[in-house]
Amino acid sequence: MSDIHNNYKSVLHNIRETKKKISNFPRDFKLIAVSKTFGESVIIQLLEKGHKAFGENKVQEAEKKWMGLKKQYRNVDLHLIGPLQTNKTKKALEVFDCIHSIDREKLVKKIQNTLELDTNLKSKNHSFFVQVNTGEETQKSGINLKDTYDFVLWSKNEIKLNVIGLMCIPPVNEKPAKHFIKLKTLSDKLKLPFTSMGMTNDYLEAIEHGATHVRVGSAIFGKREVII
Ligand SMILES: *Cc1c(COP(=O)(O)O)cnc(C)c1O
C-alpha cells in the first residue's frame, strides 16, 4: 500500500475513534483532503480510493489541476480554502463547488452578480462559508468576530448567498480550542448547520468541538515542499 493510502486510512481511523467519544457526531461530516502543491498523479491515488472532497487554496493552481480531473472523476466536490480576490470570482465559481473564504461585502456582491448573469454557473448550487478571523490577527483574512453576525444575516437574507457555515484558521501559536469554541458558539447562534475548522495538527480536537468540515493536508499527502 502506498504512503498516501496508509495515511488516509489512519486519518479515517482517527476520525472513527473520535466519533466514538462524542455524542453528537455530525451526520454530514466531511473530510476535505487538502491537495494544494500536490500534482495530479498524487491526487489520483486518493480519487481512486473513492474520495470526493478536496481542498485547494489557489484558484489558478486548482483550475490547472482540477479541470481535467473533474472530467475524469465524477462527483468531485472541490473546496476553495484560501483567500479569493474579487477579479478571480468567475473562475473560482467555475472550478469550485464550495468557497470557505467569504469575508467582505464586495466579494459577496460580486459572487451574487456573477451567478445572476450566468444561469449555467448558478445551477451548480455553490455553497459558502464565512471566514472569521477569530484571533483578530491584522494580517489574516476573515471578518472580525464582532461583525460576523450582521454580515452573515446580510449575505443570506439580503444578497441571497447560500451561506451554510462559518470557517476559521486559529493563530499558529495559540491553543486552537478557544477559537473552535468561539466559532461553534457563533455558528449555533446564527443557526448555521456547518463549521469548517481543524487541520492536520488539530482536526480531532476540532471534531470534539463540533467541526463538520475538517481540512486535512499533510496528514494525508505528506509534508509540502513549498510553504504557503
Ligand atoms: C493548507 C491548509 C490546510 C491544511 O493544512 P495541513 O496542516 O497540511 O493539514 C487547511 N486549511 C487551510 C485554510 C489551508 O490553507
Side-chain angles (χ1 to χ4, degrees):
M1 212 174 3
S2 78
D3 281 353
I4 288 173
H5 289 170
N6 270 325
N7 294 345
Y8 182 56
K9 245 179 87 177
S10 13
V11 169
L12 293 179
H13 171 82
N14 295 341
I15 292 172
R16 268 197 310 275
E17 289 303 305
T18 303
K19 182 176 174 176
K20 289 181 194 160
K21 286 201 277 180
I22 58 172
S23 55
N24 51 349
F25 189 81
R27 224 183 321 149
D28 14 23
F29 177 82
K30 208 170 260 189
L31 167 63
I32 299 170
V34 177
S35 49
K36 64 188 186 196
T37 77
F38 291 97
E40 283 98 320
S41 61
V42 175
I43 297 171
I44 281 174
Q45 295 185 48
L46 214 55
L47 285 164
E48 287 291 334
K49 284 272 160 197
H51 192 80
K52 303 285 186 210
F54 290 83
E56 292 281 347
N57 70 335
K58 290 192 170 142
V59 178
Q60 248 161 338
E61 180 189 343
E63 183 192 15
K64 219 168 117 237
K65 281 152 56 172
W66 284 96
M67 281 313 212
L69 288 174
K70 275 189 152 193
K71 290 204 181 83
Q72 254 176 289
Y73 294 87
R74 295 287 153 184
N75 302 322
V76 164
D77 174 26
L78 198 60
H79 297 250
L80 175 60
I81 59 172
L84 176 57
Q85 289 168 264
T86 325
N87 63 359
K88 294 197 179 137
T89 299
K90 186 154 198 282
K91 194 50 77 186
L93 291 166
E94 283 164 8
V95 181
F96 291 96
D97 304 285
C98 179
I99 296 175
H100 290 232
S101 48
I102 303 303
D103 64 355
R104 57 200 191 276
E105 288 188 8
K106 190 177 163 201
L107 182 59
V108 171
K109 285 182 177 158
K110 177 77 188 201
I111 290 174
Q112 207 51 332
N113 280 339
T114 309
L115 291 173
E116 287 309 324
L117 289 172
D118 189 332
T119 43
N120 218 3
L121 210 50
K122 196 177 177 181
S123 68
K124 276 181 73 184
N125 290 323
H126 300 82
S127 43
F128 302 91
F129 284 84
V130 166
Q131 181 175 353
V132 187
N133 185 359
T134 56
E136 316 215 318
E137 297 168 282
T138 46
Q139 79 286 10
K140 197 170 260 173
S141 29
I143 185 161
N144 289 333
L145 207 51
K146 67 170 172 36
D147 298 326
T148 305
Y149 189 85
D150 288 343
F151 178 69
V152 169
L153 291 185
W154 172 82
S155 305
K156 277 183 67 166
N157 300 339
E158 281 183 50
I159 311 296
K160 310 288 183 207
L161 194 76
N162 182 27
V163 178
I164 62 165
L166 301 181
M167 177 272 216
C168 76
I169 309 171
V172 276
N173 39 23
E174 281 185 35
K175 291 212 173 78
K178 73 169 186 199
H179 298 278
F180 297 156
I181 292 167
K182 278 185 195 171
L183 198 74
K184 179 70 172 122
T185 306
L186 191 49
S187 168
D188 287 347
K189 196 172 147 199
L190 282 157
K191 300 192 168 59
L192 291 168
F194 302 111
T195 40
S196 165
M197 55 191 196
M199 309 171 28
T200 289
N201 287 332
D202 52 24
Y203 66 102
L204 298 174
E205 201 175 350
I207 294 170
E208 288 175 23
H209 286 97
T212 63
H213 291 55
V214 293
R215 312 176 305 263
V216 180
S218 27
I220 296 174
F221 293 108
K223 249 178 103 126
R224 286 180 292 275
E225 300 281 330
V226 204
I227 305 297
I228 44 173

